[in-house]
Amino acid sequence: MTLTAQRRTVTATYPSAAAAASAAVDVIDELLRAGALRNLGVATGSSPSPVYREMARRRIDLSAVTLFALDEYIGLPAGHPETYRAVVEREIAEPLAVPRARVHLPDGDDPEAYDDLIAARGGIDLQILGIGRNGHIGFNEPGSSFDSRTRVVDLDASTRAANARFFDDPDDVPRRSVTQGIGTILEARRLIVVVSGAEKAAAVAAAIDGPRTEAMPASVLREHPDVTWLLDEAAASHLSSRSLRDRVGA
Ligand code: F6R
C-alpha cells in the first residue's frame, strides 16, 4: 500500500460551531474509552473553546491525561490572564480536573526541550488545532518551514490585530511567541482542526483545496495520515463542492 493510500482526511461541516465541537468531543471520548488518549495537544483561542466547554458539560474525565499546549506568548508577566498557561488552566485543566503537573507549555528560554519532552512522554495522541485567518497553525505564520520544530517566532501584524480582542490595548499583544513547529505538529498521531466563522472561510478553502505551500501553513495538513476538519457552515462556505461532500448534520 502506498503512503498516499494510507492518508485519511475527513472534512465535515456542521450547522453550528457547537455541533462541530460536539463531534470533536465524540472523537475524544472514543479515544479515551479505547485507552488511546494519554497525551492531548490543545490549542487556545475562540474556535476550540466550545470543545472544552462541551467536554466539561459531558463530564469527560481527563484526570489521567497529560496536556501539551501548542504555543505560549513571550513577554507577558507570569500570571497574566492572557498567558496561554493561564488560559489552558482556566478553560481546560481546571474544569476537566487535569492536575497542574500534567499541564505543559513550551518555554521560550528552551524551546527544543519541548520536543524532547513530547517525545519522552510517547508523543501526542490527539492534537486539537485551530487556524488563523492567514492560515497559521500554532503560531507558525506564513513562510514557516514545514520541517520546523518548537521555536520562538515573531507574530504577524494580522495575528496581533486578531488577538487584540483579548487585551485592553492592542499594543499589549505580545510581538513574539514560542510555538510547536509544523514538523512537531505533524508528528501527533491524529489531528482535529476545529474552525468556525466566515472570517476563516478563505483560509480553510486555501488549506484544503489550494496549493501545498509554506505561504499557507495549514495546507501541510493534507500530508498527515489522520486529520479531521470540523467546520461550521460559515467556515466551510468557500470550500469546493468536492471537499464539501462530507457535509453532515445539516
Ligand atoms: C492558539 C493557536 C492559534 C489559534 C488560531 C485561531 O493556541 O495556536 O493557531 O488556533 O489563531 O484562533 P481563534 O480560534 O481564536 O480564531
Side-chain angles (χ1 to χ4, degrees):
M1 192 189 285
T2 65
L3 185 62
T4 312
Q6 290 171 343
R7 284 188 195 136
R8 175 175 171 271
T9 297
V10 173
T11 310
T13 305
Y14 294 85
S16 67
S22 185
V25 179
D26 290 345
V27 173
I28 291 165
D29 194 27
E30 197 180 296
L31 289 175
L32 279 169
R33 286 173 196 276
L37 183 53
R38 283 185 309 141
N39 297 324
L40 175 64
V42 288
T44 52
S46 305
S47 305
S49 269
V51 176
Y52 309 131
R53 283 200 298 275
E54 176 65 7
M55 285 167 79
R57 196 188 67 78
R58 286 202 221 168
R59 299 184 190 281
I60 298 288
D61 181 8
L62 284 194
S63 57
V65 169
T66 298
L67 301 180
F68 289 92
L70 264 180
D71 38 26
E72 175 60 292
Y73 287 125
I74 289 181
L76 291 179
H80 187 290
E82 292 308 326
T83 60
Y84 284 171
R85 175 167 292 281
V87 173
V88 169
E89 285 180 358
R90 187 170 65 234
E91 293 191 3
I92 313 172
E94 283 164 20
L96 296 165
V98 180
R100 191 174 263 226
R102 291 221 200 95
V103 179
H104 300 288
L105 291 96
D107 178 353
D109 290 334
D110 191 2
E112 288 166 20
Y114 202 55
D115 289 337
D116 295 342
L117 179 69
I118 291 170
R121 296 296 170 88
I124 290 177
D125 298 303
L126 174 67
Q127 174 68 57
I128 298 171
L129 293 171
I131 76 170
R133 291 174 213 196
N134 63 2
H136 70 213
I137 48 174
F139 278 136
N140 295 283
E141 302 284 24
S144 297
S145 163
F146 284 167
D147 295 330
S148 52
R149 312 299 305 173
T150 301
R151 69 202 187 289
V152 172
V153 296
D154 292 329
L155 296 177
D156 272 11
S158 65
T159 299
R160 294 188 65 238
N163 288 5
R165 68 191 192 280
F166 296 113
F167 292 84
D168 293 338
D169 184 326
D171 273 351
D172 293 345
V173 184
R175 292 175 187 279
R176 294 192 307 154
S177 77
V178 54
T179 182
Q180 283 189 29
I182 293 179
T184 314
I185 291 170
L186 291 178
E187 284 168 6
R189 292 183 184 88
R190 184 165 181 170
L191 304 177
I192 289 184
V193 199
V194 187
V195 197
S196 56
E199 69 280 7
K200 300 286 177 65
V204 167
I208 294 176
D209 293 325
R212 174 194 179 278
T213 164
E214 288 177 352
M216 174 46 62
S219 68
V220 77
L221 297 177
R222 65 190 69 170
E223 288 176 12
H224 192 277
D226 191 342
V227 54
T228 303
W229 290 80
L230 300 176
L231 309 168
D232 73 355
E233 297 276 359
S237 59
H238 291 191
L239 280 176
S240 68
S241 48
R242 184 182 54 80
S243 296
L244 273 172
R245 68 175 172 225
D246 298 315
R247 193 161 179 272
V248 293

